[in-house]
Amino acid sequence: MNESENQRSNNNDENLDELRLTVKEAAKYINESPGVIRNWMRELKPHILTIQGENGYHYFDKPAIERLLLIRQLSRDQNYSIKQIEYHFATGGKPVRPEPNAEASDLILKDLKVIKDQLELQKEFNATLVQQLKKQQQHMDTQQQYITESLNKRDEQLLLAFKESQQARQEAATTKEKESEKKGFFSRMFSKD
């Protein structure tokens, strides 16, 4: 280890009030990568006050390290974006609340109204459909009853016609027998035997 690194290591162990860390050292101190620290410096420059050395490099003192730790906490633990962190610092630490987007709210309301209207139309359609199905069922019941009654009447008429036909045959057979008997009597009387 060279002499400047030894001196910086000693600075880490010394009183934090006299702390002066480079970007790499600050990154190591707060357990982040130097690239992340540089990104925060670029994006949140007004909110991270560093000490600029004669060589033009930025050094982090105790308040700057505390600010980096806070940024790390907001970013990692609370999942704040850079914009949300900037808002947090600009408002003195007010919690970030999503701002209602009027356009999105209006679109959602319009969509909800369309859905509500469609549901109403669907309810009306369903009610009409149920009424039509009831009418159709009544018509089918009426037709079934008519068909059953018609078949019963036809069966009764066929049975009656069959009975009348049977009776007519019996009467015809009886009449034929009687005629045959009459013929038989006269034929015997007038026969030449």
Side-chain angles (χ1 to χ4, degrees):
M1 220 179 350
N2 65 25
E3 188 178 317
S4 65
E5 287 177 344
N6 273 338
Q7 188 178 7
R8 287 182 191 132
S9 285
N10 290 338
N11 281 347
N12 286 343
D13 298 333
E14 293 176 3
N15 188 351
L16 287 177
D17 291 334
E18 298 174 15
L19 186 67
R20 302 285 184 266
L21 301 177
T22 64
V23 171
K24 277 186 177 181
E25 292 169 337
K28 186 175 181 180
Y29 186 83
I30 69 165
N31 198 23
E32 278 293 343
S33 72
V36 170
I37 301 296
R38 286 186 186 98
N39 185 46
W40 290 347
M41 290 291 296
R42 215 176 12 261
E43 299 291 330
L44 302 168
K45 188 173 187 160
H47 305 292
I48 304 172
L49 301 177
T50 58
I51 300 167
Q52 193 166 6
E54 293 175 9
N55 57 5
Y57 292 125
H58 292 275
Y59 295 96
F60 297 88
D61 60 358
K62 180 182 176 187
I65 292 293
E66 287 173 353
R67 183 55 59 109
L68 289 177
L69 287 169
L70 178 59
I71 293 170
R72 183 178 182 278
Q73 177 192 6
L74 293 172
S75 175
R76 302 291 183 241
D77 298 341
Q78 297 181 22
N79 294 321
Y80 275 29
S81 68
I82 293 292
K83 293 286 184 192
Q84 290 171 322
I85 294 170
E86 190 173 33
Y87 175 82
H88 178 82
F89 290 136
T91 60
K94 284 187 180 178
V96 176
R97 285 182 281 150
E99 293 182 25
N101 184 343
E103 291 176 15
S105 296
D106 289 344
L107 290 174
I108 291 170
L109 287 174
K110 285 179 184 177
D111 288 346
L112 286 174
K113 183 175 179 351
V114 167
I115 291 169
K116 185 180 176 183
D117 292 345
Q118 288 175 344
L119 283 173
E120 286 299 320
L121 288 173
Q122 186 66 46
K123 284 180 185 177
E124 291 174 15
F125 173 78
N126 290 348
T128 303
L129 183 62
V130 167
Q131 288 176 349
Q132 290 299 322
L133 288 172
K134 284 179 181 177
K135 285 180 183 178
Q136 188 174 9
Q137 185 63 45
Q138 287 173 347
H139 177 70
M140 288 172 31
D141 291 344
T142 303
Q143 289 298 317
Q144 181 67 33
Q145 185 178 1
Y146 173 76
I147 290 170
T148 302
E149 288 174 0
S150 296
L151 288 174
N152 287 341
K153 283 182 184 179
R154 184 200 69 182
D155 290 348
E156 288 174 10
Q157 288 174 347
L158 283 173
L159 191 57
L160 183 63
F162 181 72
K163 285 180 181 178
E164 288 175 355
S165 168
Q166 288 286 67
Q167 192 176 10
R169 280 188 201 152
Q170 283 179 349
E171 288 176 5
T174 307
T175 306
K176 201 173 188 183
E177 248 179 60
K178 286 183 183 179
E179 284 178 8
S180 187
E181 286 176 13
K182 281 185 187 178
K183 254 188 187 179
F185 174 73
F186 287 114
S187 15
R188 277 183 271 163
M189 269 188 33
F190 296 110
S191 72
K192 297 184 182 178
D193 282 312

